[in-house]
Amino acid sequence: MSTRNEYGGSLPVGNVQALASNNSGETPPLRYLRPELHSEEVLLDESLQIPTIDMRKLMLDDDGEMEKLHFACKDWGFFQLINHGAEDEVIEKMKMDIQEFFKLPLEKKNVYAQPQNSIEGYGQAFVVSEDQKLDWGDMLFLVPLPPSQRSMRLWPENPTSFRETLDKYSSELHRVSLNLMKLMAKNLGVNPDKFASMFEDGRQGIRMNYYPPCEHADKVIGLTPHSDASGLTLLVQVNEVQGLQVKKNGKWIPIKPVPDALLVNIGDIMEIICNGEYKSMEHRAVVNSEKERLSIAAFHGPNQMTMIGPLPDLLKENSAKYKTTSYEEFLRFFVTRKLDGKSLLGAMKLAD
């Protein structure tokens, strides 16, 4: 069985937080400039927002809320989850600890720098060539689940509470994700326990993002447009700075976070398993000209032995739209290529 580090890593590039602090007012280096941003339409109509779903109503089998969930997964691939049941204290402590980590001097953060050929640790991801355009952001990426896959030397010990906080945060969000998957299975007409069992001992990766401010914010991108290679992603906004945008009907829609909600999105694995019934959506992170932005994304995938392909129960009336491959191969394919819209999912599609 492969170890986590055999999936591949990212080429080392300069620290963006340090670059931003030393580059005040100047145009960012060429590799960060994205001229294509000027030709892309951003919808400024705030009335168009992703659906808000109430977990408390879902857990009471509220038919109307279940219909809203089904629509959100089919039409948007994104929703804001309120009354989600994750402990508020745990989420707030996680926010505090990651802010403290990113405030550390660079040399102290670099103690947890990504080892060669690994996506885990402090640095950047998906840099696969020396001439590739770069994102205006740094990250700390860790794999808390399954516990046997933890690389503890990359888990910060500064702040001192970080490891315990991340352990609790990981458990809370994993529990919420399994509850959501069972509810989605009901809507899809498949056995909820059987569906969720694929993810019970699954792989959870947590990406903690730091996007420094940039006076030329309209020329850089915090995170390249992409869809997530997960089953479900649960995102928490750490501070009040907005930046997430979702692409719908060819236009970018800025997301206004609902206070205390978890932002949930369908990943590529879920789209494949559902044979396209639920859709992963392309999204990106833009940068603020004055303030830093922080977020925490928890990616929930299946267990390592799962085959990634359309569920047989969903193929009784429709033919398969996607290939079937091992989760290991899927992960390896994902981490060794640059982010590029929904190209990963495109490579998994079967010819019509």
Side-chain angles (χ1 to χ4, degrees):
M1 186 181 293
S2 294
T3 63
R4 79 176 77 76
N5 284 351
E6 288 174 353
Y7 295 131
S10 183
L11 295 177
V13 293
N15 181 269
V16 182
Q17 191 175 356
L19 174 63
S21 62
N22 296 329
N23 204 46
S24 182
E26 295 180 23
T27 302
L30 187 62
R31 284 188 76 184
Y32 293 94
L33 298 181
R34 303 292 189 105
E36 72 274 11
L37 292 175
H38 295 287
S39 62
E40 298 192 341
E41 187 175 352
V42 178
L43 207 62
L44 299 177
D45 179 3
E46 291 198 358
S47 66
L48 187 62
Q49 281 292 314
I50 60 173
T52 297
I53 305 294
D54 189 334
M55 186 70 153
R56 197 174 289 155
K57 290 181 180 178
L58 291 177
M59 298 303 279
L60 294 171
D61 284 330
D62 182 298
D63 289 342
E65 207 67 16
M66 287 292 282
E67 283 180 26
K68 276 177 66 179
L69 175 66
H70 193 49
F71 170 79
C73 294
K74 279 171 65 99
D75 193 65
W76 278 94
F78 267 83
F79 55 92
Q80 308 213 47
L81 188 68
I82 60 172
N83 298 320
H84 43 70
E87 291 283 345
D88 290 340
E89 286 179 20
V90 173
I91 292 174
E92 290 307 311
K93 188 71 173 81
M94 188 72 251
K95 289 181 183 180
M96 288 168 56
D97 280 4
I98 195 57
Q99 286 180 93
E100 287 303 310
F101 174 78
F102 282 121
K103 284 177 185 172
L104 292 173
L106 180 57
E107 63 270 17
K108 291 196 174 180
K109 292 194 287 273
N110 275 340
V111 170
Y112 308 102
Q114 292 163 327
Q116 188 175 6
N117 205 34
S118 174
I119 197 174
E120 279 190 82
Y122 177 63
Q124 289 82 19
F126 310 111
V127 183
V128 297
S129 71
E130 298 291 349
D131 57 356
Q132 179 185 327
K133 289 289 186 179
L134 299 175
D135 291 340
W136 192 258
D138 302 315
M139 67 155 201
L140 174 65
F141 181 78
L142 298 167
V143 177
L145 298 175
S148 61
Q149 289 286 297
R150 292 182 179 185
S151 185
M152 293 309 295
R153 68 188 184 88
L154 298 174
W155 285 47
E157 292 183 277
N158 189 354
T160 54
S161 56
F162 187 95
R163 291 182 171 187
E164 182 183 355
T165 302
L166 182 60
D167 182 61
K168 290 177 180 177
Y169 184 82
S170 161
S171 297
E172 287 292 303
L173 267 65
H174 182 59
R175 179 172 53 79
V176 173
S177 74
L178 289 178
N179 286 337
L180 274 174
M181 286 174 191
K182 288 177 183 177
L183 294 161
M184 289 175 186
K186 282 185 185 179
N187 275 335
L188 290 165
V190 297
N191 183 294
D193 291 326
K194 185 178 175 184
F195 189 81
S197 69
M198 292 188 290
F199 295 88
E200 270 172 10
D201 298 314
R203 188 177 193 269
Q204 180 197 58
I206 295 185
R207 175 174 170 145
M208 293 148 272
N209 301 300
Y210 181 92
Y211 305 109
C214 179
E215 287 189 34
H216 301 274
D218 60 336
K219 296 178 180 175
V220 300
I221 194 85
L223 186 57
T224 295
H226 65 287
S227 55
D228 291 344
S230 62
L232 279 183
T233 302
L234 275 58
L235 181 90
V236 165
Q237 282 272 123
V238 174
N239 59 355
E240 301 306 310
V241 180
Q242 296 178 33
L244 179 68
Q245 297 182 348
V246 175
K247 196 171 195 178
K248 188 168 174 62
N249 300 326
K251 298 173 183 176
W252 291 105
I253 300 172
I255 302 304
K256 193 174 181 182
V258 172
D260 301 322
L262 292 174
L263 195 69
V264 181
N265 65 280
I266 301 293
D268 293 342
I269 289 174
M270 185 67 78
E271 179 169 335
I272 293 167
I273 288 172
C274 298
N275 202 36
E277 179 83 358
Y278 291 168
K279 301 283 193 297
S280 67
M281 292 290 273
E282 199 173 338
H283 52 285
R284 68 182 186 180
V286 297
V287 173
N288 191 282
S289 60
E290 297 175 357
K291 297 178 181 176
E292 65 192 10
R293 176 175 177 260
L294 290 86
S295 65
I296 308 170
F299 307 100
H300 296 89
N303 65 61
Q304 204 163 353
M305 305 310 292
T306 301
M307 296 299 290
I308 306 298
L311 283 178
D313 288 354
L314 298 175
L315 298 179
K316 290 169 183 173
E317 297 176 13
N318 301 292
S319 57
K321 297 177 182 176
Y322 303 91
K323 303 171 190 173
T324 296
T325 187
S326 72
Y327 185 38
E328 285 202 29
E329 282 303 314
F330 183 85
L331 270 184
R332 189 174 290 110
F333 188 51
F334 167 62
V335 301
T336 56
R337 53 194 280 140
K338 68 177 184 178
L339 293 180
D340 182 18
K342 290 190 70 171
S343 64
L344 175 67
L345 201 64
M348 287 290 293
K349 281 193 172 177
L350 293 168
D352 291 333

